[in-house]
Amino acid sequence: MAEVLVLVEHSGGEVKKITNELLTAAARLGEPAAVVVASPGIAGKLRDRLAAYGAVKIYIAESEEVDRYLTAPAVGVLAALVASVRPVAVILAASPDGKEIAGKLAVRTGSGLLSDVVELAADGTATHSVFGGSYLAKSRATTPVAVITVRAGAIEPRQTPGAATEQPIEIPAVSARTAKVLERRLIEGGDRPELTEASVVVSGGRGVGSADNFRVVEKLADALGAAVGASRAAVDSGYYPHQFQVGQTGKTVSPQLYVALGISGAIQHRAGMQTSHTIVAVNKDPQAPIFEIADFGVVGDLFTIAHQLTEIVTIRKS
Amino acid sequence: MNIVVLIKQVPDTWSARTLTDSDHTLDRASAEVVLDEINERALEEALKIKEAGQGEVTVVTMGPPRAAEAIRKALSMGADKAVHLSDETLHGSCAIATAKALAKVIGTLGDVDLIIAGNEATDGTVAAVPAMVAEVLGLPELTHARTVTLQGRTVTVERQTDDAITVLQAELPAVISVNEKINEPRYPSFKGIMAAKRKPVSTLSLADAGVERTEVGLANATSTVIESAPCPPRVAGQIVTDEGEGAAMLADYLIGQKLI
Ligand SMILES: Cc1cc2nc3c(=O)[nH]c(=O)nc-3n(C[C@H](O)[C@H](O)[C@H](O)COP(=O)(O)OP(=O)(O)OC[C@H]3O[C@@H](n4cnc5c(N)ncnc54)[C@H](O)[C@@H]3O)c2cc1C
Ligand SMILES: Nc1ncnc2c1ncn2[C@@H]1O[C@H](COP(=O)(O)O)[C@@H](O)[C@H]1O
């Protein structure tokens, strides 16, 4: 069976959840081969998890150089592997880095790029959710190798043991014309679930009114075990940090439950959340467009409703 | 300083966006189109750099004849000139072909110091064309910038992604992509709108840009869409007005759905 390369996403010596999803997707097309590009000593820590999700092989490219550049070492390693092992596909996360590595790899190897895929079939047909979930489109690469980026949370990860045979490989020299990383300041994730992975998301909009008031949104989120999201208006007003923006130019989320508090429901916000399983909204304006897509809506004051709902949920849990 | 800004005309995100039934490409004819907002920010950054020193800002786009409207907008904001790659054969080009064609057009502009793009287009959301153009041209890319600083021939950006702020540095020439929070783009002034009418726009065919016909278009794409279908629109559910019982009713609904 042909190999399918999976670029492993990891941080702090741990495999990120998306990697399990990528390995699961890869197993549909061929033999999953994990590719770890990291500073020395990391791959050993990742091995067990990669084996548990079906990695037949692990290509290990370790060097101190890796942290000095953003994507170039990974592009070099994957391009070399494409030439030597002739995989049917290379699968990466549809993250900012994953998308850029994929794009550069596609150029370098002349391979078709299938971007931001939400489903992948055994014959290589990829499904994309386009225009903020208003269309589904299916595509295929017309080249021998397909470079595919997969959206986080779209594919149900499946545990299945793999041999995880380790094979060290060289990192090709990085071109002198590559941007250097001077500094990397990690943004702390906090204790709440990751936005794109959470099964419940509670989002606040401009109606929340201030950064302090966002405590109300956070309290309801914590009672529900949810991630917190925000509209662009809330982010632009400085109520909540950028990485929590949901929508066209923010995150796309598809949780079991999406709670919109003080969000009008502009088309660009809907683009990031309308594929949620259940949507509930609280807004004081009965004409707010969010009500057109809400499964349950309350016309009322978000502070009153969020506070009372937090109490009800807390009591039910105890 | 010779700065190129890559701009793209996209369907307005405020309007209903559709794919054509015939070849599953974006229905550009029926859509209301605008200069993608992120490209206004890319241009704003270029204009700031120009105003802080000296130089020329050229906007480059690959798109149908209608994209001339997006060019007009960019020129009224303050770009000096424009190049429009427009050829029927380009219809349905894949991301690789797009990056290669844009690189060819940039190649016709002489010594370019800085290429500035948006980090992601609102239609295709590939979020890779800037890095791909850099790959074709063999230039460094500094993407998702929330700040850009130039000192002599050294460019430094703060790259903002979910998990980190990464400070990147390279020597010019380089490719930059900017994020949505980098700046507030200016509005075209009346003077700017009038001046735009006299600014040079060169429209290039494939042959003018030196792009091979076999490298572009739907027929030569490295990936193709084989089917597409609109998702059924969501329908409104139950809406209640809070008269003291709103939260309890919402809780009952969530309990009924086994969500709490
Ligand atoms: C290219 C482009 C990309 C965009 N990308 C995004 C994106 O990624 N994400 C995004 O969200 N937006 C995006 N937007 C912006 C979008 O058009 C809207 O401006 C934005 O979503 C509005 O946010 P909002 O609903 O919080 O604010 P508003 O539209 O101002 O709505 C606030 C709502 O709060 C309600 N309210 C106020 N006080 C209370 C209260 N006490 N109790 C209950 N309700 C209350 C009001 O009735 C109102 O409906 C984009 C726009 C463009 C052009
Ligand atoms: N056809 C095009 N013409 C000019 N610039 C483009 C084109 N396609 C993409 N770009 C540039 O690349 C950026 C990111 O687009 P994308 O990678 O397609 O999401 C855009 O904001 C533009 O700056």
Side-chain angles (χ1 to χ4, degrees), chain B residues 13-230:
Chain B
T13 52
W14 285 109
S15 66
R17 296 175 291 175
T18 52
L19 296 171
T20 57
D21 290 335
S22 55
D23 64 6
H24 315 290
T25 58
L26 179 67
D27 189 352
R28 291 186 195 273
S30 77
E32 300 205 18
V33 286
V34 292
L35 169 59
D36 206 355
E37 188 197 70
I38 192 67
N39 294 146
E40 294 183 24
R41 299 179 198 267
L43 176 58
E44 177 66 34
E45 209 54 28
L47 294 173
K48 278 191 187 158
I49 294 170
K50 178 191 155 173
E51 286 156 6
Q54 51 178 319
E56 194 175 44
V57 175
T58 308
V59 293
V60 167
T61 194
M62 161 176 149
R66 264 183 109 165
E69 296 159 29
I71 287 180
R72 188 65 58 202
K73 170 98 188 258
L75 293 175
S76 6
M77 283 176 68
D80 298 298
K81 61 185 175 64
V83 183
H84 184 179
L85 178 64
S86 180
D87 198 302
E88 271 175 28
T89 321
L90 288 166
H91 173 78
S93 292
C94 63
I96 298 183
T98 302
K100 285 185 176 169
L102 288 171
K104 279 271 166 64
V105 174
I106 294 165
T108 66
L109 294 171
D111 287 336
V112 170
D113 300 296
L114 202 51
I115 297 157
I116 309 184
N119 59 349
E120 176 175 278
T122 50
D123 54 356
T125 67
V126 177
V129 166
M132 293 166 85
V133 169
E135 176 72 25
V136 178
L137 292 171
L139 296 180
E141 77 266 2
L142 306 90
T143 54
H144 298 278
R146 68 168 190 183
T147 63
V148 176
T149 324
L150 258 178
Q151 260 180 326
R153 302 284 299 167
T154 305
V155 59
T156 310
V157 315
E158 281 187 318
R159 179 185 200 256
Q160 181 167 34
T161 49
D162 296 342
D163 50 350
I165 303 291
T166 312
V167 182
L168 293 174
Q169 192 171 76
E171 295 300 303
L172 300 184
V175 178
I176 291 175
S177 81
V178 303
N179 80 8
E180 172 187 91
K181 311 297 181 203
I182 193 166
N183 58 36
E184 273 312 314
R186 66 194 65 187
Y187 287 103
S189 63
F190 179 70
K191 220 177 110 202
I193 294 168
M194 296 313 287
K197 296 185 174 145
R198 295 184 303 274
K199 288 177 176 170
V201 178
S202 49
T203 307
L204 305 184
S205 66
L206 285 182
D208 297 332
V211 179
E212 296 293 332
R213 301 190 86 77
T214 52
E215 279 186 336
V216 295
L218 204 51
N220 300 301
T222 56
S223 59
T224 55
V225 177
I226 46 186
E227 67 182 72
S228 68

Side-chain angles (χ1 to χ4, degrees), chain A residues 97 108 134 136 138 140 142 177 180 182-183 185 187 232 236 245 249 251 274 276 294-295 297 299, chain B residues 37 135 158-159 162-163 165 167 169 173 180-181 221-222 224 226-227 229 231 234 237-238 240 242:
Chain A
D97 293 11
R108 214 176 279 186
S134 53
L136 283 179
K138 291 190 175 174
R140 293 183 58 97
T142 58
R177 305 288 302 126
K180 293 188 179 62
L182 296 192
E183 191 189 333
R185 299 195 290 274
I187 295 171
R232 176 156 120 176
D236 286 353
Q245 182 173 317
T249 46
K251 293 280 171 49
Q274 65 186 353
S276 301
D295 297 289
V299 179
Chain B
E37 188 197 70
E135 176 72 25
E158 281 187 318
R159 179 185 200 256
D162 296 342
D163 50 350
I165 303 291
V167 182
Q169 192 171 76
E180 172 187 91
K181 311 297 181 203
T222 56
T224 55
I226 46 186
E227 67 182 72
C231 299
R234 284 190 90 100
Q238 190 187 353
V240 300
D242 179 38

Side-chain angles (χ1 to χ4, degrees), chain A residues 19-50:
Chain A
T19 306
N20 308 338
E21 300 164 13
L22 303 180
L23 287 167
T24 303
R28 298 177 186 168
L29 305 185
E31 238 173 39
V35 181
V36 176
V37 182
S39 46
I42 298 290
K45 299 183 189 164
L46 311 180
R47 188 185 175 276
D48 289 352
R49 268 287 283 286
L50 298 174

Side-chain angles (χ1 to χ4, degrees), chain A:
Chain A
M1 216 193 320
E3 286 185 19
V4 181
L5 302 177
V6 169
L7 181 65
V8 173
E9 292 256 332
H10 57 91
S11 84
E14 280 181 49
V15 173
K16 287 199 198 169
K17 187 167 165 264
I18 174 79
T19 306
N20 308 338
E21 300 164 13
L22 303 180
L23 287 167
T24 303
R28 298 177 186 168
L29 305 185
E31 238 173 39
V35 181
V36 176
V37 182
S39 46
I42 298 290
K45 299 183 189 164
L46 311 180
R47 188 185 175 276
D48 289 352
R49 268 287 283 286
L50 298 174
Y53 283 88
V56 175
K57 243 185 223 172
I58 307 179
Y59 293 106
I60 300 174
E62 289 187 333
S63 157
E64 303 285 1
E65 281 280 277
V66 167
D67 291 338
R68 295 184 52 211
Y69 304 99
L70 211 55
T71 59
V75 176
V77 165
L78 291 172
L81 283 171
V82 166
S84 62
V85 309
R86 308 207 164 276
V88 285
V90 183
I91 302 187
L92 309 91
S95 59
D97 293 11
K99 284 177 163 185
E100 287 176 12
I101 295 168
K104 288 169 75 76
L105 182 67
V107 169
R108 214 176 279 186
T109 61
S111 308
L113 177 63
L114 306 176
S115 192
D116 203 12
V117 161
V118 295
E119 188 53 275
L120 191 61
D123 68 352
T125 302
T127 306
H128 311 256
S129 169
V130 293
F131 301 148
S134 53
Y135 267 83
L136 283 179
K138 291 190 175 174
S139 72
R140 293 183 58 97
T142 58
T143 51
V145 184
V147 178
I148 305 168
T149 63
V150 176
R151 185 181 288 181
I155 287 173
E156 187 65 38
R158 201 172 279 179
Q159 292 219 24
T160 168
T165 317
E166 297 179 47
Q167 190 172 321
I169 52 165
E170 288 282 311
I171 300 180
V174 168
S175 147
R177 305 288 302 126
T178 304
K180 293 188 179 62
V181 173
L182 296 192
E183 191 189 333
R184 186 172 276 151
R185 299 195 290 274
L186 293 182
I187 295 171
E188 290 305 321
D191 295 336
R192 296 194 183 91
E194 213 279 309
L195 195 48
T196 55
E197 292 172 358
S199 53
V200 182
V201 173
V202 181
S203 286
R206 202 198 312 261
V208 176
S210 72
D212 282 348
N213 288 350
F214 245 82
R215 287 292 306 143
V216 175
V217 180
E218 291 184 330
K219 277 190 181 142
L220 177 56
D222 291 342
L224 291 167
V228 175
S231 72
R232 176 156 120 176
V235 170
D236 286 353
S237 307
Y239 303 168
Y240 222 64
H242 175 56
Q243 67 268 27
F244 297 100
Q245 182 173 317
V246 171
Q248 172 77 56
T249 46
K251 293 280 171 49
T252 300
V253 299
S254 220
Q256 286 300 309
L257 173 63
Y258 188 87
V259 183
L261 302 173
I263 293 177
S264 62
I267 194 164
Q268 298 91 350
H269 186 78
R270 286 153 64 156
M273 46 67 78
Q274 65 186 353
T275 59
S276 301
H277 196 267
T278 300
I279 297 171
V280 303
V282 182
N283 196 303
K284 65 182 181 191
D285 173 10
Q287 305 299 328
I290 192 76
F291 289 131
E292 293 163 15
I293 61 162
D295 297 289
F296 194 92
V298 181
V299 179
D301 176 54
L302 76 91
F303 298 102
T304 313
I305 304 291
H307 179 70
Q308 291 175 358
L309 185 60
T310 306
E311 287 195 331
I312 298 171
V313 173
T314 311
I315 291 165
R316 270 185 67 84
K317 276 203 302 197
S318 59

